[in-house]
């Protein structure tokens, strides 16, 4: 602090005023010996200060020149360094130093594990995927502030069509040319996707995939073959989930970027299961819930891990459901609260629960009343007989009043129940309840019923097996392993005194 007055009075500091506060903050940070990590982010943010092309070029050049030494001085470790060097690659690209940008990109790829946020070099999508959009932008000689190949979809039209010129300056010709290439490619990809969807049910698809190498397939055939391989991986993952403990061990032993095929799909199932288990355990653990899920039950915490956020969301739903059930269980207490619900809007969480509870209680009462009318001829005649002439207690009626609708549903329930009873008395079996349906239950001979039901349960049919969610049933091997993992996550969190943290390298794709 003692040095600040003199530094702020320094002509060199004052000369940076036109370049923005971050440029001045970077200069101060270097003079004060602040950590390299802090200096880097001040330097990076200084490039955002202008839309003037000449000043922007000067600020980006300073970033590209000074940034590498700052990164080398980090104490945060090589993964962080590799990630932040990608910003330098992007700066070199924007400056038109394409050879230097490509050389640094190659060096980053050769320096260790994949850079967080970049694709896996061993990806199932093939060679070159690891370089991702950045390499493509460099090869396209796109020197725009935002390279077309790297733009998130939500920004593509704004940048390509000069919608953000007032903020970022005009879009460069090279970027516009790359925009056309990308849009043409995306249009072709969309057409290929539609063609692939048509090929999915082609009985000869597997033979076509086997006959042609990937680089020889048409666009639509390539996608269709990838779909088919993904289906096979998903079916194989169903088998892996039968031994949850082994799957958990295999996932733990294999870095995410090294997982492929059935293991990738199986680990995805395990992560979903752990989220479910974590939600169930946090809902029963007040201390754990308070630690992992502070604030509003839907509160998003940027630094919390995705699986912990998933667990908090599910735990919140469970707690909300329990609170609602407790309110509905005491109608005498709930009714006056429903009458004054709009006076309780200050506590938005409770207000939402209260509205849901009031709705559930009303629905329960309506259902009970309909069942009373359907099972008591005297009650039906007394309450609904007056609607007979207006056809308000029969089928296929529209524009009914609330009492008419209630009688209409009671009439359908009564007639459908009679139809089911008559059919079952004849030895038939009926599908579904269809209690309020205008159609009578579909009833068929028992052998036909069993045959049709077997089709829906036939896990030897690949299409049915792909939809099999029984692995997530409580007590399954997968869920048993998930509960073990969830308990460990909670114990580790309590020991550390905080919720699990997100990957610190997972910076949003649209952050410059």
């Amino acid at each position: 602090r003692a040095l600040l007055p003199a530094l702020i009075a320094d002509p060199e500091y004052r000369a940076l005023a036109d370049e923005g506060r971050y440029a001045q903050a970077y200069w101060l940070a270097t003079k004060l010996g602040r950590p390299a990590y802090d200096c880097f982010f001040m330097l990076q943010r200084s490039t955002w200060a202008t839309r003037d092309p000449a000043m922007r070029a000067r600020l980006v050049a300073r970033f590209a020149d000074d940034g590498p030494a700052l990164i080398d001085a980090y104490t945060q470790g090589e993964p962080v360094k590799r990630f932040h060097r990608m910003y330098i690659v992007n700066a070199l690209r924007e400056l038109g130093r394409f050879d230097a940008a490509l050389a640094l990109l190659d060096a980053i790829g050769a320096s260790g594990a994949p850079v967080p946020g970049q694709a896996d070099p061993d990806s199932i999508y093939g060679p070159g995927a690891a370089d991702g959009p950045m390499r493509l932008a460099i090869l396209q000689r796109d020197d725009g502030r935002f390279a077309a190949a790297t733009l998130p979809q939500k920004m593509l039209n704004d940048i390509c069509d000069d919608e953000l010129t007032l903020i970022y300056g005009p879009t460069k010709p090279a970027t516009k040319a790359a925009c056309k290439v990308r849009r043409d490619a995306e249009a072709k990809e969309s057409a290929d996707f539609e063609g692939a969807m048509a090929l999915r049910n082609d009985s000869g698809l597997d033979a076509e995939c086997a006959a042609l190498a990937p680089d020889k397939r048409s666009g639509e055939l390539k996608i269709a073959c990838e779909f088919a391989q993904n289906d096979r991986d998903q079916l194989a993952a169903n088998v892996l989930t039968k031994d949850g403990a082994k799957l958990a061990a295999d996932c733990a032993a294999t870095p995410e970027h090294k997982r492929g095929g059935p293991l990738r799909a199986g680990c995805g199932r395990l992560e979903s299961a752990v989220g479910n288990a974590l939600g169930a355990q946090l809902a029963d653990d007040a201390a754990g819930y308070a630690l992992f899920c502070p604030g509003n039950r839907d509160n998003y915490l940027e630094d919390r891990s995705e699986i912990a956020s998933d667990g908090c969301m599910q735990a919140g739903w469970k707690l909300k459901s329990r609170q609602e059930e407790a309110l509905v269980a005491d109608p005498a207490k709930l009714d006056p609260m429903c009458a004054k619900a709009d006076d309780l809007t200050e506590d938005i969480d409770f207000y939402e629960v209260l509205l849901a509870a009031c709705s559930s209680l009303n629905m329960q009462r309506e259902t009970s009343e309909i069942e009373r009318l359907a099972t008591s001829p005297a009650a039906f005649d007394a309450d609904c007989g007056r609607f007979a002439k207006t056809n308000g207690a029969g089928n296929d009626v529209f524009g009914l009043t609330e009492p008419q609708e209630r009688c209409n549903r009671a009439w359908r329930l009564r007639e459908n129940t009679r139809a089911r009873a008559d059919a079952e008395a004849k030895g038939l079996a009926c599908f579904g309840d269809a209690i309020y349906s205008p159609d009578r239950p579909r009833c068929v001979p028992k052998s036909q019923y069993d045959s049709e039901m077997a089709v829906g349960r036939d896990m030897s049919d690949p299409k049915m097996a792909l939809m099999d969610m029984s692995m997530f049933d409580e007590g399954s091997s997968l869920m048993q392993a998930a509960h073990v993992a969830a308990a460990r996550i909670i114990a580790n969190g309590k020991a550390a005194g905080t919720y699990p943290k997100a990957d610190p390298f997972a910076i949003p794709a649209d952050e410059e």
Side-chain angles (χ1 to χ4, degrees):
R1 291 184 181 180
L3 297 175
L4 278 176
L7 290 173
I8 291 174
D10 191 305
E12 190 175 350
Y13 171 83
R14 293 180 179 276
L16 295 170
D18 290 342
E19 296 182 3
R21 293 181 178 178
Y22 275 112
Q24 290 180 308
Y26 168 64
W27 184 86
L28 286 175
T30 58
K31 298 297 182 182
L32 293 171
R34 296 295 300 167
Y37 190 86
D38 295 343
C39 292
F40 178 86
F41 278 103
M42 293 177 196
L43 176 62
Q44 181 199 31
R45 281 157 177 74
S46 72
T47 66
W48 303 353
T50 182
R51 60 185 292 277
D52 175 73
M55 182 179 288
R56 169 76 180 179
R58 185 166 68 252
L59 296 175
V60 174
R62 181 188 296 151
F63 175 64
D65 294 340
D66 292 4
L70 292 173
I71 295 172
D72 289 341
Y74 278 10
T75 60
Q76 280 74 14
E78 284 304 314
V80 179
K81 292 180 179 181
R82 285 196 296 274
F83 184 83
H84 288 166
R85 286 185 182 114
M86 289 298 295
Y87 288 116
I88 305 301
V89 172
N90 188 54
L92 293 170
R93 174 203 59 76
E94 184 179 341
L95 293 167
R97 304 177 193 173
F98 299 114
D99 291 344
L102 199 58
L104 180 55
L105 185 62
D106 288 339
I108 294 170
S111 67
V115 177
Q118 298 297 299
D120 170 22
D122 297 328
S123 166
I124 60 172
Y125 300 109
D131 296 323
M134 183 60 71
R135 179 175 292 268
L136 178 58
I138 294 169
L139 295 177
Q140 289 176 335
R141 295 298 194 257
D142 186 341
D143 60 350
R145 178 166 183 166
F146 299 98
T150 67
L151 282 171
Q153 196 64 42
K154 64 183 180 181
M155 286 184 65
L156 183 64
N157 290 338
D158 288 340
I159 297 299
C160 292
D161 298 334
D162 275 322
E163 297 293 335
L164 298 178
T165 297
L166 291 177
I167 302 174
Y168 299 121
T171 301
K172 288 189 174 182
T175 302
K176 288 193 173 183
C179 284
K180 183 179 186 309
V181 171
R182 176 168 169 177
R183 283 171 162 171
D184 289 348
E186 289 178 352
K188 181 179 184 304
E189 183 179 346
S190 178
D192 287 343
F193 182 83
E194 291 182 11
M197 294 302 291
L199 287 174
R200 288 195 76 173
N201 296 322
D202 189 332
S203 60
L205 176 61
D206 287 344
E208 288 189 71
C209 294
L212 291 173
D215 61 343
K216 301 296 183 183
R217 298 169 186 164
S218 66
E220 62 181 27
L221 180 60
K222 180 180 179 181
I223 296 173
C225 293
E226 289 172 355
F227 281 153
Q229 182 59 54
N230 181 66
D231 286 348
R232 287 191 288 272
D233 291 342
Q234 296 293 339
L235 288 173
N238 284 1
V239 178
L240 297 181
T241 62
K242 301 297 183 185
D243 189 342
K246 184 178 186 306
L247 175 60
D250 290 344
C251 294
T254 310
E256 185 174 355
H257 68 277
K258 292 293 185 182
R259 299 171 190 165
L263 184 60
R264 183 194 300 270
C267 294
R269 309 272 179 86
L270 177 63
E271 289 172 2
S272 296
V274 173
N276 293 344
L278 192 58
Q281 292 185 30
L282 288 174
D284 294 330
D285 182 347
Y289 184 79
L291 179 64
F292 277 55
C293 320
N296 184 290
R297 66 165 54 86
D298 299 321
N299 193 27
Y300 171 72
L301 302 177
E302 186 174 354
D303 67 336
R304 184 173 58 193
S305 72
E306 184 176 344
I307 199 163
S309 293
D310 185 23
C312 285
M313 182 179 297
Q314 297 196 46
W317 288 338
K318 290 179 183 294
L319 292 172
K320 183 176 180 180
S321 178
R322 291 175 189 175
Q323 192 177 9
E324 179 186 330
E325 291 170 1
L327 289 171
V328 173
D330 190 351
K333 181 179 179 181
L334 179 58
D335 280 332
M337 296 173 69
C338 293
K340 298 181 178 181
D342 288 343
D343 296 334
L344 302 172
T345 55
E346 288 186 5
D347 185 347
I348 190 63
D349 277 354
F350 181 72
Y351 179 67
E352 291 177 358
V353 172
L354 178 60
L355 289 184
C358 295
S359 177
S360 295
L361 182 59
N362 287 337
M363 188 176 298
Q364 285 185 13
R365 287 170 170 165
E366 182 70 10
T367 299
S368 296
E369 179 61 11
I370 290 171
E371 291 175 351
R372 183 184 73 85
L373 294 173
T375 55
S376 171
F380 186 88
D381 291 342
D383 286 19
C384 303
R386 67 185 187 278
F387 298 135
K389 291 183 180 180
T390 60
N391 199 28
N395 225 345
D396 299 323
V397 179
F398 301 94
L400 304 180
T401 64
E402 187 174 324
Q404 286 176 318
E405 179 64 28
R406 184 181 302 115
C407 289
N408 181 260
R409 291 188 175 192
W411 184 87
R412 288 176 175 176
L413 174 59
R414 184 184 68 187
E415 298 307 310
N416 288 344
T417 301
R418 284 177 179 172
R420 175 182 287 274
D422 290 345
E424 290 176 348
K426 297 174 183 178
L428 301 179
C430 303
F431 290 95
D433 292 330
I435 56 174
Y436 301 140
S437 172
D439 301 317
R440 299 291 169 262
R442 186 166 74 90
C443 303
V444 298
K446 188 67 165 59
S447 59
Q448 180 181 343
Y449 177 87
D450 290 342
S451 176
E452 290 188 35
M453 290 298 290
V455 171
R457 297 190 299 265
D458 183 10
M459 290 302 128
S460 65
D461 179 351
K463 291 183 180 178
M464 292 306 303
L466 283 171
M467 295 185 288
D468 181 17
M469 293 289 104
S470 62
M471 67 193 74
F472 295 107
D473 292 345
E474 282 299 332
S476 70
S477 180
L478 182 68
M479 285 307 301
Q480 289 177 17
H483 275 291
V484 171
R488 184 169 59 249
I489 290 172
I490 294 174
N492 290 342
K494 288 181 175 179
T498 184
Y499 46 75
K501 300 294 185 174
D503 179 354
F505 314 124
I507 295 176
D510 58 348
E511 181 172 322
E512 187 178 357

